[in-house]
Amino acid sequence: MSEVMDLPGDDEEYASGVVKKFMFVNRKAPHGSIYALEVLEMVLISAAFDQDVHLAFIDDGMYQIVKGQDPTGINQKNFSKTFRALDGYDIEKLYVEREGMEERGLTEDDFLVDVEVISQAEMAELMNGMDVVLSA
Amino acid sequence: MLHTVNKSPFERNALASCLAHATDGAAILLIEDAVYGATKGTSVAAKVEAAAAKCKVFVLGPDLAARGMSEDKLIDGITVVDYEGFVDLTVEHSVVQAWL
């Protein structure tokens, strides 16, 4: 005799198609460490689960979406192009913190994707409204 | 003395500490995430400008290009070097201090 097993992911929540508010908080510059690329991998995976995905770029994380990156000279992958493909996965909620831009001398024109520039206080509010926050 | 710095000035104090310890005429080479410190208009630019006036400040070109930091955004007085230039700097200076 065999029992019917519950498959992983076949729980009530998954079956009912609950959509959670996810936020990926990017705080690391793109090429000096592996964090930025790893978060981007998580973002792409989350897209497969039809979640309500938000991307926040604060501190050095906003350097990930700066235009004109060419890491061929340091033998690294130019994953900045992938950010331009995110709208194809219905990931269009990208936020950059104004205070961090000012600290780094960056303007909205420096970014390769459309973003919403918000204040630190607004970012804090946004974070508070999330169901899941993953930060690196 | 050649000083090398490889950390973003907005995340670590390696650049600030290096600049505070570098004496007149020293060479300072910004590599990896430290190249963000070589750009104009940042909150650390004034300190880097002051350093460029009394030291020789260099930045590694391939690391700038990787990060999309164009050379026209560089603080005046900073010299871009390639990997060969990096090697030359280490040969010219008997002591190299890496600010990690």
Side-chain angles (χ1 to χ4, degrees):
Chain A
M1 275 207 249
S2 64
E3 286 178 48
V4 177
M5 286 173 61
D6 278 337
L7 293 170
D10 195 24
D11 55 12
E12 197 178 315
E13 195 171 85
Y14 186 78
S16 66
V18 168
V19 176
K20 290 189 176 182
K21 284 170 173 270
F22 273 71
M23 177 178 267
F24 295 92
V25 182
N26 294 285
R27 295 190 50 248
K28 301 282 188 183
H31 305 293
S33 67
I34 198 68
Y35 289 97
L37 179 56
E38 291 291 327
V39 171
L40 186 55
E41 301 274 7
M42 284 199 287
V43 169
L44 293 171
I45 291 164
S46 75
F49 291 94
D50 296 324
Q51 298 298 301
D52 183 15
V53 176
H54 303 68
L55 300 191
F57 297 91
I58 65 173
D59 301 333
D60 278 354
M62 59 189 68
Y63 283 133
Q64 294 175 28
I65 51 170
V66 163
K67 278 178 190 165
Q69 296 179 50
D70 178 13
T72 51
I74 59 169
N75 293 317
Q76 290 201 36
K77 196 168 143 184
N78 189 1
F79 62 88
S80 71
K81 291 175 183 170
T82 308
F83 288 105
R84 302 194 67 149
L86 290 179
D87 63 343
Y89 296 91
D90 290 328
I91 297 174
E92 291 166 325
K93 295 172 182 172
L94 282 64
Y95 305 90
V96 181
E97 197 170 284
R98 184 176 296 113
E99 286 82 346
M101 289 169 62
E102 286 166 2
E103 190 182 5
R104 288 164 184 78
L106 296 172
T107 65
E108 221 172 319
D109 286 342
D110 290 317
F111 300 128
L112 50 79
V113 279
D114 288 335
V115 298
E116 192 175 333
V117 177
I118 60 175
S119 71
Q120 193 169 62
E122 288 167 329
M123 186 67 84
E125 277 300 307
L126 194 62
M127 286 173 173
N128 268 336
M130 295 293 138
D131 298 311
V132 181
V133 178
L134 292 154
S135 180
Chain B
M1 170 101 66
L2 170 66
H3 300 271
T4 65
V5 184
N6 76 337
K7 295 294 187 297
S8 163
F10 309 108
E11 196 189 20
R12 307 281 185 89
N13 66 357
L15 180 62
S17 199
C18 168
L19 297 181
H21 291 88
T23 51
D24 289 4
I28 300 165
L29 172 61
L30 307 177
I31 62 173
E32 300 173 27
D33 284 346
V35 302
Y36 291 124
T39 52
K40 284 177 185 163
T42 75
S43 60
V44 299
K47 276 187 182 173
V48 178
E49 279 161 17
K54 70 183 184 90
C55 300
K56 289 164 286 180
V57 181
F58 302 89
V59 63
L60 193 62
D63 279 327
L64 274 179
R67 290 161 180 79
M69 298 290 113
S70 63
E71 294 185 17
D72 57 357
K73 279 189 186 170
L74 288 184
I75 289 166
D76 293 337
I78 295 185
T79 308
V80 179
V81 295
D82 56 11
Y83 285 109
E84 285 172 17
F86 189 165
V87 173
D88 290 342
L89 283 170
T90 62
V91 172
E92 286 163 19
H93 297 86
S94 56
V95 181
V96 181
Q97 185 171 4
W99 297 81
L100 300 176

